[in-house]
Amino acid sequence: MTGTETAPDELFTYEFFQDPQSFQAALRAEAPARPVVTPNGFRVWLVTRYEEAKAVLADPTVQKNSAGMNAVSAKNRTVEGEGRPFADELNQHMLAMDPPDHTRLRRLVTKAFTARRIEQMRPRIEEITAELLAKLTAGDQVDLLDVFAFPLPITVISELLGVDDEDREAFRRNSNTIISSAGPEEVGAAGRWMVGYFMKLVADKRANPGDDLLSALIETSEDSDRFSEQELVSMAFLLLIAGHETTVNLIGNGVLALLTNPEQLARLKADPSLMPGAVEEFLRFRSPVNMSTFRFTTEPVVVGDVTIPAESLVLVGLGSANRDEDRFEHADQLDITRPVGGHLAFGHGIHYCLGAPLARLEGEIAFRGLLAAFPDLKLAVEPSELQWRISVLVHGLEKLPVIL
Ligand code: HEM
């Protein structure tokens, strides 16, 4: 396990994905940022320490717009060919924009995605949780991701957007492919499937509006400003991917953290009022989004004693920053009572997670429901047998076998 002496194209090995925390600790010890090569062949600067991560996320010269991103990506490609073709129709969303475009879209979506709409979801999230748990039997061995951690957030985000039940499995497959390190053909095909689906969905909602978020987004307007068709398709795509690929890992990683720290589990069971803080600690301890989405520099950026050149791709190590000992004491220990404010699991700056309140609400309801229904929950395998997904962005398990 080495840091800068690892060649840039040797960091993202199978071993890295199985234990990113240890690799990232070595990287932090050596430099606040270093070049790496992603599994699909892009040269990227990876920022690893907390203060520097936060500064880069707030730096307006470090940008995300898709035109700039395409140009800088082309310059930083290490392999021949097209790179990773991605449906342009899905790129008109705010996570691929800078101000003022980002500001405009974020303002519009915030008008529809209100705190009230989320709080109104509480009884429904409790109901979905109870329904999922009612199908399970104490003493059985199950993959908790499959029976609980995945279906809960996907049902919530699908209902929120107005996506039908029968389409959810196809969504899971295609969205998994998009964020995996699969080849360009596979990722391209999954992207095209998404575009087709969302174009039809937006057309359906336009014709028959419901009380779902997508219908609200179609209706939203401000000073005669509205979402364009492509912006709607991209926004729906962004919300669905974000709702799919993140909260599942908050639940999975959080359960694993508790089952491998029995004294913390006992404290939480004894005092459920610790739950909101525990959820924050799970987010910090095993951040579901290990690295931010890609950014690029428009000027040289000074990161501690390192300068990232202009026109470089950048990844911010959110999971790494959240284990930085300079910011969090005993960062490698799970402590559900620590004052955990300031973790970067939801990002920082203008792209701070729009869905954070929803994710927190889902997390709290899920953990509370699960621990109440199955107080003897335990791992069915040794922790060392668990496999982590091969994904640069997301840190989540392939399966979580437990005995209920
Ligand atoms: C535990 C669950 C979640 C985690 C850890 C998470 C994490 C993040 C992170 C780290 C970012 C910033 C990425 C970057 O700057 O590169 C982000 C942005 C975003 N997230 Fe989440 N997220 C979660 C759940 C959700 C949910 C449930 C939704 C939607 C319902 C959502 C919607 C979004 C959106 C729309 C953005 C882009 C915001 C912008 O560009 O202004 N997220 N999320």
Side-chain angles (χ1 to χ4, degrees), residues 95 102 106 157 242 246 292-293 295 318 345-347 350-351 353 355 359:
L95 201 45
H102 173 271
R106 178 110 186 184
I157 193 72
T246 50
S292 70
T293 53
R295 285 163 168 73
L318 305 173
F346 289 122
I350 60 167
H351 295 285
C353 179

Side-chain angles (χ1 to χ4, degrees), residues 25 50 53-54 57 74-75 141 148 151 167 170 179 215 219 225 259 264 275 285 289 322 328 339 344 352 372 393:
Y50 181 88
K54 214 170 156 182
L57 291 171
K75 274 194 66 174
Q141 178 173 331
F148 186 61
D167 299 324
I179 66 134
S215 301
E219 284 295 303
D225 187 16
L259 296 183
Q264 297 285 311
M275 189 56 87
F285 183 72
V289 178
N322 286 338
F328 301 102
L344 299 183
Y352 181 84
L393 303 187

